Amino acid sequence: MPELPFTLDQLRILKAIAAQGSFKKAADLLYVTQPAVSLQIQNLEKQLEITIFDRGGRKALLTEAGRLLLEYCERILNQCDEACKAIEDLNSLKGGTLVIGASQTTGTYLMPRMIGLFRQKYPEVSVQLQVHSTRRTGWSVANGQIDLAIIGGQLPGDLENLLQVIPYATDELALVLPSKHPLSNKKELLKEDLYKLNFVTLDSQSTTRKVVDKLLKDSGLDIQRLKIEMELNSLEAIKNAVQSGLGASFLPVVSIERELAAGTIHKAFIADLEVKRELKLITNPSRYTSRASEVFKKNILPQFASFESPLREP
Amino acid sequence: MPELPFTLDQLRILKAIAAQGSFKKAADLLYVTQPAVSLQIQNLEKQLEITIFDRGGRKALLTEAGRLLLEYCERILNQCDEACKAIEDLNSLKGGTLVIGASQTTGTYLMPRMIGLFRQKYPEVSVQLQVHSTRRTGWSVANGQIDLAIIGGQLPGDLENLLQVIPYATDELALVLPSKHPLSNKKELLKEDLYKLNFVTLDSQSTTRKVVDKLLKDSGLDIQRLKIEMELNSLEAIKNAVQSGLGASFLPVVSIERELAAGTIHKAFIADLEVKRELKLITNPSRYTSRASEVFKKNILPQFASFESPLREP
DNA sequence: AGTCTCCATAAATTTAAATTATCCGAATAA
DNA sequence: TTATTCGGATAATTTAAATTTATGGAGACT
């Protein structure tokens, strides 16, 4: 690897002299003394084995070699300026990319709004959303492919320690019924009523399904006795199934806001049972945190922390 | 004028780390110690207020900002390399331009051969030939528009001191006659024979004409008595006139080599009279001397210093 | 000629960078 | 697990570089 025969400062000086036509004026422009300029140019000339300026009269004129060097000089310094600008933009969130991870649910129903708000505030930062399983999202955060993520499930133990996991919000998994279901008139259901329902659930691999099963079990229910009409792998499909009267389901409230408002689906309350899970923000503390990521965490997330309060569209 | 937030060395280090994936390896590559690398990157990060590398595990990985900076870094360093190469080429005469000045005579008959030889040796240096009057050529050398010139006349006094004038060669101004002219049989003419001739001369503005007139006068001839058939402003025209038997003329031997060899023109000798002028090389000592100019002066010119010896075609 | 401006040079100072030596943490191996 | 290694950070010292102050000289303008 060859040594560089000049420094950026020397190029800066060269440019200044060429522009001012004088060592002295260049020195004034650069806020240094005249000998500093002279010596640097001498070094440059020695290094490159060329004469750059004719110092004959009162003006310093470029030689042929000087003109040649100046061309490159300008280009180089321009690139430097551009680099500075790009970095500044990155610092002031006028550029760059933010990669966000999310589970199916939050990725579908929550993130679009958050990202919308973020992009409204920082339109020059491009945002990428990656929807994966909790496990895979965790790994992506761990190795830096994702800046920050929101998950609703449990991380593998090893990742749990590696990553920073911050409880962020509560996600209620509401029992929803077809609006014309007989039980949808009851003010409050009893746990035992659940055994009477036909369920349309997510498939058993899904995080949300696992969470629901665990919560119901913990509350004393025998989940084996619950009748499962069918297992689907899409919340939208389940919603449609419920609306068509095919059965009940536990669904994140964030995913059914529109349907509740429209009355096409009914949310039931169950005595002594709250099916809620924690949504957690995960980041990688051992990694560089981009400004965009910082801002997203500090300014955007808190606005969506409460799911109970109706969210304004951006 | 803003200070630069980084140095080329820092960029070099950045690039090396990015390529090697490690501070240590980069340090080895650059023949410095590891702390030197660490500190420079720290300075860079501090200056730009960004984090460039994730130093988590065994490998130093670029952050987003780091990748952004690296892009510019590569471009900048490439430009630097290119600049170096261009300068090297200039130094090794693989580029650049040489501007040569000459009078009508040397420009027409001498320079083409010299330039041919030069370009054969240094084909990548482009050469420009400017044919002007002695006076104008002198000024062009003075203000640097011409690197070096060969003149046959007398410079204005002020330029004489300003420029370096080196006697370079003797240019004989031969008396030429139509080959079938009665006097062309005589072994040696007498000065008085000149009064019997009809002359075809250059116009009285021309340097060569002035030189000839002065030399004849100095040798005791009365130039008023010389019969001038016509005045032309081109040597070629005069040559044609002589060959056509219209008259005699004093012409630079360099301009009639071909005709002498072919016998279409006759060169006469005059007792006690040698019409010779000094061709002089002029350069500007107070100005940068390009390598090309140096080489031309040292290596090319001497090969053409003697007009008596037949010149080889390049 | 005299003065002014501009650049070069020398010596001294200040500033920056590199090195040596050491520590710390994470990954690897026993 | 513990030991070892590798890579990076840090501190103190040395070395090197760039800047400044002071001064001299050459050309240009009056």
Side-chain angles (χ1 to χ4, degrees), chain B residues 65-310:
Chain B
R67 279 189 297 274
L68 179 66
L69 186 58
L70 181 61
E71 273 183 46
Y72 286 96
C73 173
E74 309 256 359
R75 265 183 275 175
I76 291 168
L77 292 179
N78 280 343
Q79 287 292 322
C80 290
D81 287 343
E82 267 193 50
C84 291
K85 221 176 98 16
I87 295 290
E88 270 172 34
D89 283 353
L90 200 67
N91 273 337
S92 60
L93 292 177
K94 285 185 183 157
T97 304
L98 175 63
V99 183
I100 298 176
S103 61
Q104 187 68 46
T105 309
T106 50
T108 306
Y109 301 102
L110 193 56
M111 282 305 172
R113 303 189 210 170
M114 288 194 183
I115 293 171
L117 179 58
F118 181 86
R119 298 236 343 131
Q120 188 186 4
K121 287 195 177 176
Y122 310 102
E124 332 219 29
V125 179
S126 67
V127 179
Q128 199 183 318
L129 175 65
Q130 295 197 6
V131 175
H132 297 303
S133 68
T134 296
R135 167 181 233 93
R136 178 157 172 202
T137 299
W139 278 112
S140 291
V141 172
N143 62 30
Q145 287 163 9
I146 286 178
D147 290 311
L148 85 175
I150 290 184
I151 55 173
Q154 189 66 22
L155 280 176
D158 44 352
L159 284 179
E160 190 99 85
N161 307 325
L162 201 61
L163 304 179
Q164 188 180 41
V165 182
I166 304 176
Y168 155 63
T170 302
D171 179 26
E172 184 188 352
L173 295 155
L175 172 63
V176 295
L177 307 173
S179 43
K180 45 196 186 270
H181 191 280
L183 284 179
S184 67
N185 296 325
K186 277 184 78 171
K187 185 96 186 275
E188 196 175 63
L189 303 188
L190 300 174
K191 283 184 191 174
E192 288 69 33
D193 291 329
L194 293 178
Y195 297 126
K196 305 174 190 160
L197 294 170
N198 287 324
F199 281 96
V200 182
T201 74
L202 280 168
D203 68 86
S204 51
Q205 298 304 313
S206 104
T207 302
T208 302
R209 167 71 183 279
K210 286 181 194 158
V211 169
V212 171
D213 282 2
K214 183 171 187 301
L215 288 170
L216 295 180
K217 208 168 173 180
D218 290 352
S219 76
L221 285 163
D222 178 5
I223 59 173
Q224 304 297 336
R225 284 183 56 199
L226 295 172
K227 283 176 288 185
I228 293 176
E229 189 74 20
M230 52 183 137
E231 291 187 352
L232 302 172
N233 66 0
S234 140
L235 287 174
E236 287 302 314
I238 295 174
K239 277 160 63 177
N240 287 332
V242 173
Q243 287 178 84
S244 308
L246 295 179
S249 188
F250 285 95
L251 293 176
V253 286
V254 289
S255 70
I256 51 169
E257 286 184 341
R258 239 179 287 271
E259 289 74 12
L260 289 179
T264 59
I265 224 170
H266 178 259
K267 174 175 181 251
F269 295 86
I270 310 170
D272 302 323
L273 179 59
E274 279 200 324
V275 188
K276 288 183 173 176
R277 65 168 166 183
E278 287 294 314
L279 294 185
K280 285 155 286 191
L281 168 67
I282 59 174
T283 53
N284 188 335
S286 70
R287 279 197 175 269
Y288 158 74
T289 305
S290 74
R291 285 265 299 124
S293 169
E294 236 170 69
V295 165
F296 192 90
K297 180 170 156 189
K298 291 227 178 79
N299 300 346
I300 306 296
L301 281 179
Q303 300 198 33
F304 292 83
S306 163
F307 297 148
E308 327 314 330
S309 72

Side-chain angles (χ1 to χ4, degrees), chain A:
Chain A
M1 180 147 272
E3 297 243 327
L4 286 173
F6 48 76
T7 69
L8 283 181
D9 276 322
Q10 286 170 343
L11 297 186
R12 231 155 56 95
I13 292 173
L14 163 62
K15 183 180 167 187
I17 299 175
Q20 303 290 317
S22 142
F23 282 38
K24 176 125 186 52
K25 283 179 192 156
D28 293 343
L29 188 69
L30 298 171
Y31 301 110
V32 290
T33 56
Q34 168 265 316
V37 169
S38 285
L39 291 174
Q40 285 302 330
I41 293 297
Q42 283 174 34
N43 290 341
L44 190 52
E45 291 182 323
K46 207 174 297 172
Q47 283 291 322
L48 296 175
E49 299 177 320
I50 55 174
T51 303
I52 297 173
F53 290 102
D54 267 331
R55 294 98 153 152
R58 56 159 69 285
K59 280 210 292 186
L61 290 172
L62 282 167
T63 64
E64 179 187 6
R67 279 190 298 274
L68 179 66
L69 186 58
L70 182 62
E71 273 182 46
Y72 286 96
C73 173
E74 309 254 351
R75 265 183 274 176
I76 291 168
L77 292 179
N78 280 344
Q79 287 292 323
C80 289
D81 286 344
E82 268 193 49
C84 290
K85 221 175 98 16
I87 295 291
E88 268 172 36
D89 283 352
L90 200 67
N91 274 337
S92 60
L93 291 177
K94 283 186 184 156
T97 306
L98 175 63
V99 184
I100 298 176
S103 62
Q104 187 66 47
T105 309
T106 51
T108 308
Y109 301 103
L110 193 57
M111 281 306 172
R113 302 189 211 171
M114 287 192 181
I115 293 171
L117 180 58
F118 180 85
R119 299 242 335 139
Q120 187 186 3
K121 288 195 178 177
Y122 309 102
E124 332 221 28
V125 178
S126 69
V127 178
Q128 198 183 321
L129 176 64
Q130 296 197 4
V131 175
H132 296 303
S133 67
T134 295
R135 165 179 234 95
R136 178 157 173 204
T137 299
W139 278 111
S140 292
V141 171
N143 61 32
Q145 290 163 6
I146 286 179
D147 290 310
L148 85 175
I150 290 184
I151 55 173
Q154 188 66 23
L155 280 175
D158 45 352
L159 285 179
E160 190 98 87
N161 305 326
L162 200 60
L163 304 180
Q164 186 180 42
V165 181
I166 302 176
Y168 154 62
T170 302
D171 179 25
E172 184 188 354
L173 295 156
L175 173 63
V176 295
L177 306 174
S179 44
K180 44 193 189 262
H181 191 281
L183 285 178
S184 67
N185 296 323
K186 277 185 78 170
K187 184 93 185 275
E188 196 175 63
L189 303 187
L190 300 173
K191 285 184 188 173
E192 287 72 32
D193 290 331
L194 294 179
Y195 297 125
K196 303 174 191 160
L197 294 169
N198 286 325
F199 279 97
V200 183
T201 73
L202 281 168
D203 69 86
S204 50
Q205 298 302 314
S206 104
T207 302
T208 303
R209 166 71 182 278
K210 285 182 194 159
V211 169
V212 171
D213 282 2
K214 182 171 185 303
L215 288 171
L216 295 180
K217 209 164 167 183
D218 289 353
S219 77
L221 284 164
D222 177 5
I223 60 172
Q224 304 297 335
R225 282 183 57 199
L226 295 172
K227 282 175 287 185
I228 293 176
E229 189 73 18
M230 52 183 139
E231 291 187 350
L232 302 173
N233 66 359
S234 139
L235 287 174
E236 286 303 313
I238 295 173
K239 277 158 64 176
N240 287 332
V242 173
Q243 287 178 85
S244 308
L246 294 179
S249 189
F250 284 96
L251 293 177
V253 288
V254 288
S255 70
I256 51 170
E257 285 183 342
R258 238 178 285 271
E259 288 76 10
L260 288 179
T264 60
I265 223 170
H266 179 259
K267 174 177 180 245
F269 294 87
I270 308 169
D272 302 324
L273 179 60
E274 281 198 322
V275 187
K276 288 183 172 174
R277 65 169 167 184
E278 287 295 315
L279 293 185
K280 284 155 289 187
L281 167 69
I282 60 175
T283 54
N284 188 336
S286 69
R287 277 194 175 270
Y288 159 73
T289 305
S290 74
R291 285 266 298 125
S293 168
E294 235 170 69
V295 166
F296 192 90
K297 182 170 154 187
K298 293 226 178 79
N299 300 348
I300 306 296
L301 281 179
Q303 301 198 33
F304 292 83
S306 161
F307 296 150
E308 327 315 329
S309 71
L311 292 168
R312 307 273 118 248
E313 293 292 328

